[in-house]
Amino acid sequence: MTMDERDETMETADVVRFGIIGCGGIGKWHARCLVSIPGATLSGVADTDQSARDRAARTFGAEASDSVDAMLGADGIDVVSICTPPASHVALVTAAAAAGKHVLVEKPLALDLSEADRAVAACASRNVHLGVVHQQRGRSATRALHRLILDGELGKPLMAAAIHTWFRTDSQLEADLRRGDAKTGGGVLLDQAVHAIDLLVWFLGAPRWVSGSTAMLARHTLAEDTAVATIGFDGGAVATLAASTSVNACRDDIAVEVAGTRGLCRLEVRDYDHAEIVRLELANSDDRRARALPAGEIESLVQRFGGQWRRGPRAWPWRGLARFVGRERGSQPFRDPRAVLRRKIDRIAQSETRELQGHAAILHSMADAVRGRGLPLVSGAEARHSIAIIDAIQRSHRVGGERVELVSTGTP
């Protein structure tokens, strides 16, 4: 059955009804993404800011609740999508679970490991799904790399390196003070590097030990702006992490390299949401030198894992414009006219092929989980690993960088 045929035969009982708590920028993005997801609908919104929730309700045709309790008490909500600042996440997760609602929460899952465990336990005790938004797992390029590693194409993973540089200006920090305060989920680890850490966990498995250090090198804030760490994983692989919000680069990037006994791959997440495999070297066996795959072969690989949209829009005017604009989004992806146009072209191509990326892919997997068709793309138990690593980096820093052992939970 094609997706179109499935849409036509979708029974009313199969429709998953979402409620969004927090109607700011990320909450509105969840609402926009839900429009593209078959069998999902936005039924309600809630926010302490009346004007924000009323505006969202009008824009997306949803019912506005004047309190979280009112939304959680409504019969017409299956999943609560939590899009509020991090310090409120665990309280809202536990309240939603107590009300019998499935939960999708924006990253980070929690501010510390004990809070993460409380959130996971609350949902498990009520037998509801807990999903966490780590949207970089929802890119076709990252899915291709994940599959490549699982299928053993790189051989046994031995080492990895992740570099995460997302620059925050002083004016940005002053405009959003929570990002500079560890007590409210700020700092490079919880606010930024959690993305790169989640990718390392997804590619390499559960963490076993961590040694790390943090510093405030260029910012007068209440949280670290720079962090480095070495992480050991269940399968024996070792990874390094370097992250900073103070390193001044023209473009915000995540770069992850994974190397094994049969090859090496480099993934770059550029401008927040555009993932590319920029280097892939593979060998036929462990004792033969790997060969570098040309760009065309890499692109074919990505397209096999949900990247058909990368061929571009079907309509010839848009295709011509896509060739003129190019693939790059530049250093100002949300302000530069050429970059904004590139994003628009990508959205059109994704819509035509019905391939969901990023947040939309996360929301789609959550809807399927509620229907009994699998698990959330990132479960609470998986997201806990990232919080455990961050917690261990901070503990290791307090004892001079000594190695901190972790208790493996057997996931992801």
Side-chain angles (χ1 to χ4, degrees):
M1 179 181 291
T2 67
M3 187 174 288
D4 289 334
E5 290 170 336
R6 177 179 155 189
D7 293 351
E8 292 174 3
T9 59
M10 182 79 69
E11 298 291 339
T12 302
D14 287 333
V15 174
V16 177
R17 302 160 299 181
F18 282 76
I20 293 176
I21 300 176
C23 299
I26 198 64
K28 288 186 287 188
W29 182 240
H30 278 228
R32 292 190 184 100
C33 289
L34 283 170
V35 174
S36 65
I37 298 173
T41 186
L42 178 61
S43 294
V45 294
D47 197 295
T48 55
D49 184 332
Q50 181 178 348
S51 62
R53 69 171 181 262
D54 289 346
R55 186 164 53 250
R58 289 193 303 270
T59 301
F60 301 106
E63 182 177 345
S65 297
D66 58 7
S67 71
V68 170
D69 289 342
M71 171 177 282
L72 296 181
D75 292 332
I77 302 291
D78 302 307
V79 185
V80 173
S81 190
I82 298 172
C83 301
T84 57
S88 64
H89 285 180
V90 174
L92 291 172
V93 168
T94 54
K101 310 296 186 185
H102 300 283
V103 186
L104 179 66
V105 59
E106 269 289 334
K107 67 83 187 169
L109 167 61
L111 298 187
D112 57 43
L113 191 56
S114 63
E115 281 197 351
D117 286 338
R118 185 155 60 92
V120 172
C123 291
S125 68
R126 296 305 298 264
N127 198 30
V128 295
H129 286 294
L130 172 59
V132 183
V133 180
H134 284 289
Q135 70 271 22
Q136 304 308 338
R137 293 198 192 190
R139 315 289 179 199
S140 49
T142 57
R143 287 197 294 262
L145 177 53
H146 180 247
R147 188 74 256 172
L148 202 72
I149 295 170
L150 285 185
D151 289 347
E153 294 297 321
L154 297 182
K156 179 182 179 180
L158 299 178
M159 68 176 189
I163 298 176
H164 194 143
T165 54
W166 283 12
F167 184 61
R168 293 281 189 196
T169 65
D170 289 336
S171 59
Q172 286 176 314
L173 290 170
E174 290 169 2
D176 193 354
L177 292 176
R178 75 158 185 85
R179 294 188 184 275
D181 189 345
K183 292 181 180 179
T184 54
V188 66
L189 287 170
L190 280 173
D191 191 38
Q192 303 281 357
V194 67
H195 288 295
I197 293 170
D198 176 69
L199 289 176
L200 288 174
V201 169
W202 199 37
F203 295 152
L204 300 177
R208 290 293 301 275
W209 57 266
V210 173
S211 173
S213 182
T214 67
M216 288 183 281
L217 299 180
R219 298 281 185 246
H220 299 291
T221 62
L222 299 175
E224 80 288 340
D225 61 30
T226 304
V228 295
T230 305
I231 308 162
F233 294 85
D234 269 350
V238 178
T240 60
L241 168 74
S244 179
T245 55
S246 293
V247 172
N248 195 336
C250 70
R251 190 177 69 190
D252 294 325
D253 286 334
I254 305 171
V256 179
E257 287 194 3
V258 181
T261 55
R262 291 192 180 186
L264 176 147
C265 185
R266 179 181 174 90
L267 172 80
E268 293 182 2
V269 181
R270 306 167 179 172
D271 310 326
Y272 305 102
D273 69 348
H274 185 65
E276 291 282 356
I277 295 177
V278 298
R279 181 183 176 192
L280 181 57
E281 301 173 1
L282 299 177
N284 294 328
S285 65
D286 291 357
D287 61 351
R288 298 190 64 180
R289 178 73 71 177
R291 73 176 182 93
L293 272 63
E297 286 189 42
I298 297 175
E299 182 61 25
S300 295
L301 171 72
V302 172
Q303 289 178 7
R304 290 204 302 271
F305 291 92
Q308 291 297 318
W309 67 269
R310 294 159 65 95
R311 296 179 183 273
R314 298 190 184 110
W316 68 264
W318 283 111
R319 292 182 71 86
L321 194 57
R323 284 194 291 270
F324 169 75
V325 171
R327 295 186 68 87
E328 286 289 337
R329 298 183 182 181
S331 60
Q332 299 293 334
F334 298 99
R335 292 196 294 271
D336 181 81
R338 187 167 181 151
V340 171
L341 187 56
R342 175 73 259 176
R343 294 169 66 87
K344 174 67 174 177
I345 291 168
D346 286 349
R347 300 279 186 256
I348 291 171
Q350 289 165 16
S351 176
E352 289 177 347
T353 58
R354 308 296 295 276
E355 291 179 333
L356 303 176
Q357 301 286 310
H359 279 80
I362 296 285
L363 285 157
H364 184 265
S365 77
M366 191 69 196
D368 271 351
V370 172
R371 298 187 190 102
R373 302 170 185 164
L375 298 172
L377 186 55
V378 189
S379 69
E382 290 178 284
R384 177 194 183 278
H385 287 306
S386 296
I387 303 301
I389 289 172
I390 291 171
D391 179 78
I393 292 172
Q394 294 166 338
R395 284 193 287 149
S396 177
H397 172 77
R398 290 195 291 269
V399 293
E402 290 184 13
R403 179 162 149 167
V404 173
E405 301 290 335
L406 302 179
V407 177
S408 176
T409 60
T411 57

